[in-house]
Amino acid sequence: MAINGGNSFNRIENKYIITLDQFDLLIKELGDHVVYDSFAAKNGGHYQVNSIYFDNDFRDVATRNLVRPRFKEKLRLRSYGGEKPIYFLEFKDKVMKNVYKRRIYLSDEEYRAYVFEGKFPEPNGDWKHDRFLVELKVFYERYRNSIKPSTLMQYERMAYMNRPGDPYLRITCDKNLQYRREDFEINKLGGNDLVPPNTGILEVKIIGAMPLFLAEALNKVGLRRYRFSKFGTSYLKEAKEKREQKQ
């Protein structure tokens, strides 16, 4: 397991729909229990997150995530933008409440070859990297070998973490969420709004039991856990809009 760095993760993630005013109140309640994460600290407390989600023409991946099975999986390519963007290709699996991530780094050339030409990254001799590529091949076979870029999701992330020496805790709030189904230039901004203005998606990421101070702060702000998938919600939003147009 790797948490504060590394290419694999195992943790519990709880999500909440939150107003930005509520998020400000939450951070005030948490006080000195949290600090900016290292990347946010370098960028004024927030940074851009851009992710391409992959699916097939039958939307099997999105459908599976929406029916809330005991096990669900996603494949995405993520970049944090900037003048020298870094790219990650990663699996995000969820078994009950536990979230597992595995990822590999891609160069700009590998990102473009994979997204626009469908070319897999090459093995490089690193066992984690090469094992990931084996998983990637199996994933494609499981979804009829028709996996392709499906949705580009973009948002601004505010991120906090535990103080040095304290048990692992990560708190993020994503705002200005937008998505699009075409133009997969990952760091080119623009798309359709996913949630109403002044609304964010709060994620609380822990290992084991939730700290008492955090549970009390969430309760004081009036937050309750909510099942939410950005990827899946984009399809639900489109389906709702189509129904309303027919009425």
Side-chain angles (χ1 to χ4, degrees):
M1 173 181 64
I3 292 294
N4 293 320
N7 296 330
S8 62
F9 307 82
N10 174 8
R11 60 194 181 192
I12 297 171
E13 297 184 359
N14 296 324
K15 295 183 180 180
Y16 308 79
I17 294 180
I18 188 171
T19 68
L20 300 184
D21 291 337
Q22 284 179 308
F23 182 69
D24 289 340
L25 290 173
L26 177 64
I27 295 303
K28 288 180 181 178
E29 287 295 326
L30 293 174
D32 61 2
H33 287 291
V34 295
V35 296
Y36 283 132
D37 83 353
S38 57
F39 198 50
K42 298 175 183 177
N43 293 277
H46 57 87
Y47 50 87
Q48 185 70 26
V49 180
N50 306 318
S51 302
I52 298 173
Y53 289 85
F54 294 81
D55 206 339
N56 59 19
D57 290 331
F58 307 97
R59 297 182 180 174
D60 287 335
V61 179
T63 300
R64 182 174 179 81
N65 277 270
L66 288 171
V67 298
R68 299 174 182 174
R70 294 171 64 91
F71 169 78
K72 58 184 181 180
E73 60 186 347
K74 297 175 187 174
L75 172 66
R76 67 189 181 195
L77 194 153
R78 173 163 287 185
S79 174
Y80 297 98
E83 295 182 1
K84 297 180 179 180
I86 298 174
Y87 305 93
F88 301 99
L89 184 61
E90 69 178 25
F91 283 111
K92 181 178 181 180
D93 300 340
K94 188 171 184 180
V95 183
M96 302 296 285
K97 294 181 179 180
N98 294 295
V99 174
Y100 303 87
K101 290 186 182 182
R102 289 95 59 215
R103 69 187 186 185
I104 59 174
Y105 294 95
L106 299 185
S107 66
D108 184 78
E109 291 77 12
E110 287 173 321
Y111 141 64
R112 293 187 174 281
Y114 181 65
V115 171
F116 298 110
E117 301 175 36
K119 294 182 179 178
F120 280 24
E122 294 290 336
N124 65 7
D126 177 83
W127 71 271
K128 289 184 179 180
H129 177 98
D130 294 353
R131 184 180 66 180
F132 183 97
L133 297 182
V134 173
E135 289 187 66
L136 187 62
K137 182 176 183 296
V138 173
F139 179 84
Y140 271 63
E141 292 171 349
R142 187 157 56 248
Y143 290 98
R144 319 183 206 191
N145 282 314
S146 59
I147 290 294
K148 62 183 182 181
S150 168
T151 304
L152 176 55
M153 190 73 59
Q154 300 176 320
Y155 44 86
E156 186 179 343
R157 169 163 286 181
M158 298 173 283
Y160 294 79
M161 62 181 293
N162 55 279
R163 296 174 302 184
D166 286 354
Y168 177 81
L169 169 64
R170 182 168 170 77
I171 296 174
T172 62
C173 181
D174 300 332
K175 63 179 183 177
N176 300 326
L177 291 92
Q178 294 188 319
Y179 71 95
R180 62 179 186 260
R181 306 276 188 229
E182 54 188 20
D183 188 358
F184 294 104
E185 287 287 347
I186 192 169
N187 292 315
K188 177 182 176 182
L189 302 183
N192 305 304
D193 292 335
L194 184 67
V195 297
N198 197 42
T199 301
I201 305 303
L202 175 73
E203 295 188 22
V204 175
K205 303 161 187 181
I206 55 177
I207 300 174
M210 181 177 291
L212 180 59
F213 71 83
L214 178 56
E216 290 176 342
L218 291 168
N219 185 62
K220 188 169 183 178
V221 177
L223 300 179
R224 297 293 180 270
R225 254 174 48 190
Y226 190 88
R227 292 184 177 183
F228 187 90
S229 164
K230 300 182 184 79
F231 180 39
T233 298
S234 69
Y235 284 106
L236 292 177
K237 182 175 182 291
E238 284 186 349
K240 180 181 178 182
E241 290 172 348
K242 289 179 180 178
R243 289 195 302 269
E244 291 174 347
Q245 290 174 0
K246 292 179 180 180
Q247 294 176 355

